[in-house]
Amino acid sequence: MKGKRSRKSRRRPRIALVLALTLIGGLGAAVPAATVSAAADAPAYPFRDPRLPVDSRVDDLLSRLTLDEKVSLLHQWQPAIPRLGIEAFKTGTEALHGVAWLGEATVFPQAVGLASTWDPALIRRVGSAVGDETRGFQQERPTGWGLNLWAPVVNPLRDPRWGRNEEGYSEDPYLTGSMATAYGTGLTGGDPEHLKTAPTLKHFLGNNNEADRTTTSSDLRPRVLKEYEEQAFRPAIEADAATGVMSSYNLVNGRPATVNPALDDDVRTWTSQDLLNVTDAYAPNNLTGTGSQKYYGTLAEGNAAALKAGIDSFTTDDTNSVPTTTAVRSALADGLLKESDVDTAAGHVLDIRVRLGEFDPGGGRYGAIDKSVVNSPAHQRLARQAAADAAVLLKNAGGALPLKASAKDVAVVGPLADTLYTDWYSGTLPYAVTPKAGIAARLGSPVAGSEGVDRISLRNTASGAYVTAGTDADGEALKESAGGGTAAQFDVFDWGAGIVTLRSAANGKYVGYNWSNFVNDQVQPNGWFVQQQFAPEEQADGTYLLRYAGYETREPWWSNPVYLGPTGSDGTLGLVAKSEAAHYAKDVVRSGTEEAVAAVKGKSAAVVVVGSMPAINGRENDDREDMGLAPSQEALVEAVRKANPHTVVVVENSYPTTLGALQAKVPALLWTTHAGQETGNALADVLFGDVNPAGRLTQTWYRSEADLPSVLEYDTIKYDRTYQYFKGDPLYAFGHGLSYSSFRYGQVKRAGGGYEVAVTNTGSRAGDEVVQLYTHQRTSRDKQPLKQLKAFERVSLKPGETRTVRLKLREKDLAHWDVTRSKWVVESGTYDVLVGASSEDIRSRTSLKVTGETIPARDLSRTTRAENFDDYEGVRLVDESKARGTAVGASRDGAWLKFADSRLGTGGAKFAARVAGSAGKVEVRLGSPAGTLVGTATVSGTGSVYTYAEVAAPLSAAAKGRQDVYLVLGDGMRLSTFTLR
C-alpha cells in the first residue's frame, strides 16, 4: 500500500539542491557557466520553473494566491488569474471511448467493447490516442475542452440491467482494474510527473442503478466493499494511471457518496501522488434541504462536509461558480471550514495543473500537439483494429463463419444494417462505415439489403386524415391532413418494451418533440430526454393510441401518460389526455420482414444486424427492465433464417442479451458493441476471416431476468451475483468467445511467481487465444467464489505454433477480507488453480497447498462493529454519523445479524451495545435467529438516529463455548457496536 503523504514530504533532495544553488549564487561564490545561464533564463515565479519539484511549485503558487482566488479554484470552471498570467481551467472533458462533445474526433468502441478485447496493450494504445486527441484541441480550446478527463468508468458491471452498462468494463473487478489501468496509462502518457491528460475514475462508489439514483443507498458490507467494489478502483490509482475519482450520486451505507470519507481515508492511501477528486454534476445541490437527499440544511454545510471528506472540485450550476464560492466563503465565516481546508483542496487542483505542464514553457512535454492528430489515419486504423478485436463470436455451428471468399452475393439486412448509432458519451463520428457499407467494400461491389422495418401510414379513424410530416431537410410540425403519399409514411423501428421510433419517409429524419410540436428533424434519437420515443397502444377495436414516451427516464416531475392528437385548427398534433387521444389505423405500406426475406432469398449468405439504440435501450438515468431483443427483431431473424439457412446474426448492443430460443436456431451469432466509425469494416474483417475473432465476454449472459435479484441488491456474495457466485446455467459464461482456430492446452505447472501452460494452435489459421487463470478456495471460514479470475493473457499463435504462457499468481493474491479482524487474510488450505478459455471451459487444472492463517473464533469480548456480521436478514447498512462510520439499521421487527463461530467463554457474560433510533429490544440468541435466548437488552428511543445510548443485559449460563451468535433487532433500531464479556 502506498502511504498517504503531504505534498511537502516528497522530493526533498531536489528542493535542497535548488536552494543550495540559490545560496551559492547569492554569496558570490564561483558558479559554473551553465548555472549562470540557467539562472538568467529563470522564470519570473518559481511555480513556472519546470526544474523545481512539483511540490515546491504548488506551494509557491498557493502562497501567491489570495483566499478568494484559492476558493475560485474549487469550482469546475476555474477562472483565469490575470495578475499571475494563469489561464482558465476546467475539469471534466468526456473521453470514455474517444473525445466527446467537442466536435468530430475518433470514435472507438464503447468501453464494454474495449474490455472485450482482453488486451491491455491495445487498450493502452487506444487511451494514448484519446489523450493525444484531447491535446489536439488545445490550440483552439473549444468551449468545454480541458485536460482533466472524466474517464474511465470503473464501476463493476454486477447487473446487466444497469442503464450505463455500456460505460463500464466488466462484472469482474480484476479485469475492470486491468482495463482501467491500461486505458488510464495511455491517457496520462505513463509518467505521473508529466501528464498528457489527467483521467478521473467514475463513479465512486457502488453506482449501478439509475432509478432514483440520488436517493437510493448501496449497501456495501465490508467484504463486498473491500473484495469487489474497491478492487475495481484501486489498481489504476495505485499504478498512477488515474489522477482522482468522481463521487457518485447515490448514497453508500446511508451516506451520500459526495461526502464519503473514504475519498480521503482510503482512496488517497493508494498512491503517493496528489489526487483531484470531483463531484458528479449538480450532486452538491442534492445534499441540501431543497435537494433530493436533504442531508444538510444549507449548501455551505454540504460543501464544507464534502471538502472535509476529500472533494476538491465542485461540479455544479454549469459555468456559474457563484453559488459554490459563496457557500465556501460562508462556511469559512461560520467556522465550518478553515483556510487550511481550502489550501488542501486548492493544492490538489494545482498539483494536477502543474503536472499537466500548464505552467511550463510551451505547455510542457505535450504542449506542441495540435489538431492534426485528431482522427488521423493511424487512429482510424486503431479504431478498426479495436472494433474487430472486440467482437465476440458467440456461436458458430457447422463452420458457418467465416464467410467463404466465393460468397459474393451476401445480403445484409436488419434495423442496424445500414446505420451507426452513437451513445450519450460518444464523440461526433467523423465518418460512418455501416455494416452494409463495410461488407460492400470488402466484396468490392454493392450488396442487397433491407432494414427490415415496416413503413406505415397513420390514419385518424374519426376524420380519415393522415398524419403528415415535412419534406424539407429540417422537417415541419406533424399534422393531420387529407393528403397521403410519402409525406404520410413513417418507418417504424421497434426497440422493445413497447417503445418505437418513427422516421419520416419524406426526409429520412426522426420525429421528436421540441417542447411545442412534433417535428421530423432529427438524424437519430438523442438528447437527455430522448424525445423521439413513442409507445403505440392497440385498442380492442384494432385501432392505436399513440402515447408519447419521450420522458420515460424516471423523471419525478413528469406525469405520464400523455397521448397524441390534433390540437390546432390546422390539424397540428400536440399532447392531449388519453380521453382526447386520436385513434389511428396503422396501414402497412411496406412490410419490412417481407422486404428482408426477398433480399436474402437465393443469396449465398444472409447477415442480419439487430440490437439496440443506445439512447433508448438503457442509458444514464434509465435502467433496462428487460434484456431481450425487441420482439419484431427476433421475428425478423426467424423469418430470414427460414428464407435462407445460411444466416449469420450480428447482435450490436451494449449489454448481455437474453436471446431466448433464437441462439438455438441460427447457425452463427456474433456480438459487438456500438463500435464507432469503423464498425462496418471491422465486422467485414471478422465475418470474412481477415481477422480471426478473439473477443471474450466480460459479463455473464443470463437466460432470463429471473436469474437476477433486484437491481438494488448490491451484495454480490449473499445474492450469488456474477460468475463468481452464480449457481445457475448461463446462456454464455464469463470469458466465453469462440475462434476460427482451435487451441490445445498442456498441463498447467507452478513456475516462479505464478503458473505456466503450453498452448498450441491446432487450427489451420493464425489466431488469438485468451488464456484465463481462475482460482477456487476449497475450504474457508467464509463463503468463497466458485471461481475468481486472477490472471489472463491474449496470445497470438500461428497454425501449429506452441507458446508457453506465463500467468502471475502470488499467494497474497488469494487473500480475502476477514470481517472478524478487519484485515486481509490468506487462509491455510488447498486452492484449485484452473486455466482455460472461459470461466466454464477449463482446460487444465492443478492445486496449490497454502500455509497461511486459520481465522480464529470471534472474540466478542472485544468491541465488535455490527457491520462485520457474517449473515443478515431485514437490515440495512446506515450512516453511524453524518461524518463517518457505518451502523446497522433494522427495517422490520425480527431483523437479525449472525456472528459465526464466536468464543463466549465459560458463561455468565454481559451483553453491551451502542444503539440509536427507535425503542425496542435487542435479543441475543444462539444457533439461529429463533435459537436459545440468552439475553435481552431493552432500548429506550434516543430521539435521533445519530444519538446513541449504551444498553446492557446479563447473559444466561448457556452463553458459553463456541457458538453462532445472533442479534435480533426491533424495527427502526440502529446498532453500532457491541460486546459480550
Side-chain angles (χ1 to χ4, degrees), residues 411-423:
V412 185
V413 300
L416 281 80
D418 204 23
T419 190
L420 295 186
Y421 289 122
T422 55
D423 59 63

Side-chain angles (χ1 to χ4, degrees), residues 247 256-261 263-264 268 277-279 283-284 287 295-296 299-314 328 336-337 341 345 882-883:
S247 60
T258 309
V259 292
N260 185 349
L263 292 163
D264 255 353
R268 284 199 160 97
N277 295 332
V278 306
T279 74
L287 293 169
Y295 205 67
Y296 295 100
L299 189 61
E301 293 175 274
N303 283 5
L307 284 170
K308 288 185 173 181
I311 289 296
D312 305 305
S313 177
F314 294 89
V328 172
L336 300 173
L337 288 174
D341 296 317
K882 288 192 174 184

